[in-house]
């Protein structure tokens, strides 16, 4: 029994950062888009990263948008060097785009692209927590 416990302990120790939280996880503030912005909770969804709208704001303050609880970032998988690729949903036109994320400290550059990535709309989000 000690041998199994020791082997398991060594396997876990040698995995290093395999169990560390992904640096993109947390809550992010979007840029203003069509007069509103949101707080998005980036969370682990299987092997990927997803982002759910948890608060919404407009020029009068916080309000209850019909988009609360919906995923705006979908199935982003790491592609190396703090970059991710997947899908993004734009609530203002209800369209899903090929998406990319680039994490740089407390800034998250997000792009939604069409035409094979030739035309992209970009935002920079700021970490809240």
């Amino acid at each position: 029994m000690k041998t199994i416990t020791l082997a398991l302990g060594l396997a876990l120790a040698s995995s290093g950062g395999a169990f560390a939280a992904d640096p993109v996880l947390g809550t992010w503030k979007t840029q203003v888009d069509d007069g509103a912005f949101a707080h998005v909770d980036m969370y682990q969804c299987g092997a990927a990263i997803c982002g759910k709208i948890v608060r919404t704001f407009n020029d009068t303050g916080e309000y209850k948008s019909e988009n609360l609880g919906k995923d705006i970032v979908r199935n982003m998988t790491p592609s190396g060097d703090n970059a991710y690729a997947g899908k993004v949903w734009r609530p203002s036109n209800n369209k899903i785009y090929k998406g990319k994320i680039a994490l740089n400290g407390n800034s998250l550059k997000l792009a939604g692209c069409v035409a094979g990535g030739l035309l992209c709309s970009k935002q920079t989000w700021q970490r809240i927590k």
Side-chain angles (χ1 to χ4, degrees):
M1 185 65 170
K2 287 183 182 180
T3 305
I4 293 172
T5 304
L6 180 60
L8 181 59
L10 289 173
L12 289 173
S14 67
S15 67
F19 295 104
D22 192 292
V24 79
L25 299 179
T27 305
W28 298 84
K29 178 184 173 187
T30 69
Q31 276 185 230
V32 175
D33 185 15
D34 291 334
F37 69 93
H39 289 177
V40 175
D41 183 31
M42 301 291 275
Y43 66 95
Q44 197 78 44
C45 54
I49 303 293
C50 294
K52 184 179 303 291
I53 299 171
V54 294
R55 296 177 74 185
T56 51
F57 302 84
N58 61 19
D59 57 352
T60 63
E62 188 168 3
Y63 75 104
K64 300 291 181 196
S65 167
E66 69 272 5
N67 297 319
L68 284 171
K70 294 182 180 177
D71 279 342
I72 191 168
V73 174
R74 301 174 179 189
N75 299 315
M76 288 284 179
T77 55
S79 55
D81 294 328
N82 288 326
Y84 302 78
K87 303 279 183 188
V88 293
W89 171 61
R90 186 173 184 195
S92 63
N93 65 5
N94 196 30
K95 293 196 178 190
I96 297 173
Y97 299 94
K98 181 178 179 181
K100 299 183 274 186
I101 290 177
L103 176 66
N104 185 9
N106 289 322
S107 291
L108 190 81
K109 292 186 186 277
L110 185 125
C113 305
V114 295
L118 295 175
L119 301 171
C120 298
S121 180
K122 299 175 183 178
Q123 282 199 352
T124 301
W125 296 1
Q126 298 302 313
R127 185 184 300 277
I128 296 172
K129 61 179 178 175

